[in-house]
Amino acid sequence: MTIRQLLEHTSGAPNGSLELLLRHIEDPTSLEQQLEALGRDYADQEHIDAINDVPWTAPGQFVYSNAGYVALGMLVEEATGRSVEDLLRERVFGPAGMRHSSYPDEPGLNGPVLREDAWVGETWEGGWWDLDGFDPDVFSHAGAVVSTTADLAAFNEALLTGELVGPEVLQEMLTPTAASGFYGLGVYAVLDPCSTPEDPQLLWGHDGASFGTLSIVLGSADGTRQIAIGATGRDLSALVPRWDVGDLLVPALLATC
């Protein structure tokens, strides 16, 4: 595989997160085993081992892979001799002004934060999972950053205006691949509801989902408009959730026109 394939999710690698957890769950119906798996301390190599134990799709198809981004983080650390945490602090958090973001490797957060809770349906006692013991190593380089909506907006603005990468690299990132039609390198595009059919415009950003929270940040290409949303209480009980973050996202975007 190539680095570009990892960045654009066309390497053929499976997602990896579920495969990683299932290696430590004998009974998928056991709440205790699932919570224990979410609280385990995982090494990066375990993510790679998990996807190498299952079939891959053919290279060139778009398949979102968390494990692929774990591999990218491992490559960055090998190439620089520094940790992803240090590099994020120096090259992303600092320049973007993200004063309330961190890259934890242990469960637990201090201060006024969204709880990591998930709705799992009436079949479970109480209906809710308390995921305070969730270990960010479950996602590692693919999504272990803890942030705020203000910091997410600051990051997206800094990225889109060229403060974090040069213009040639940024253009590469913002060019959707043929395999997906909407995903570039680490970011994706959606149609701006403020634009017209005669002059369609795109918004750029990304979403993120742990097992109890959801977040999304989108911004205009010139960085003048940003919107970020964070929500807890993710619904894991059905394929169709009880609420859709898009119900809030679209009106919020229209309010920025």
Side-chain angles (χ1 to χ4, degrees), residues 13-245:
N15 183 274
S17 298
L18 181 60
E19 290 82 359
L20 176 69
L21 293 171
L22 287 176
R23 287 162 64 94
H24 301 280
I25 298 175
E26 294 182 3
D27 179 6
T29 66
S30 169
L31 172 61
E32 291 75 16
Q33 289 186 24
Q34 294 182 49
L35 293 178
E36 182 179 351
L38 288 172
R40 285 180 57 89
D41 189 25
Y42 294 100
D44 289 341
Q45 186 59 46
E46 292 184 75
H47 294 256
I48 308 305
D49 293 341
I51 61 172
N52 282 333
D53 281 346
V54 298
W56 290 31
T57 57
Q61 299 180 49
F62 179 81
V63 178
Y64 196 94
S65 176
N66 284 332
Y69 269 66
V70 175
L72 285 168
M74 296 168 71
L75 287 171
V76 167
E77 292 184 336
E78 179 69 23
T80 64
R82 302 180 61 189
S83 68
V84 166
E85 180 181 8
D86 287 344
L87 292 169
L88 283 171
R89 188 182 303 114
E90 177 183 309
R91 302 187 186 184
V92 180
F93 296 163
M98 301 170 69
R99 299 179 179 85
H100 302 285
S101 298
S102 61
Y103 186 74
D105 61 359
E106 295 293 338
L109 296 171
N110 298 317
V113 297
L114 290 178
R115 291 181 58 88
E116 185 83 16
D117 288 338
W119 172 257
V120 292
E122 299 291 353
T123 56
W124 298 102
E125 182 178 353
W128 288 97
W129 279 6
D130 180 340
L131 301 180
D132 285 350
F134 163 74
D135 194 311
D137 287 343
V138 171
F139 294 113
S140 183
H141 312 309
V145 168
V146 174
S147 192
T148 66
T149 51
D151 276 10
L152 286 176
F155 164 75
N156 213 36
E157 180 180 359
L159 175 65
L160 295 174
T161 56
E163 294 182 43
L164 300 182
V165 297
E168 292 185 2
V169 173
L170 181 59
Q171 186 57 46
E172 290 274 354
M173 295 180 67
L174 299 184
T175 302
T177 63
S180 67
F182 71 98
Y183 203 96
L185 305 180
V187 292
Y188 63 72
V190 298
L191 185 65
D192 186 349
C194 296
S195 63
T196 64
E198 295 75 25
D199 184 27
Q201 300 294 319
L202 297 176
L203 298 173
W204 290 93
H206 213 290
D207 62 279
S210 67
F211 293 92
T213 58
L214 291 166
S215 61
I216 187 169
V217 61
L218 292 168
S220 58
D222 61 5
T224 59
R225 293 166 54 226
Q226 304 289 335
I227 184 168
I229 295 174
T232 190
R234 187 179 177 193
D235 189 349
L236 302 180
S237 64
L239 293 176
V240 179
R242 295 184 304 164
W243 55 268
D244 184 351
V245 70

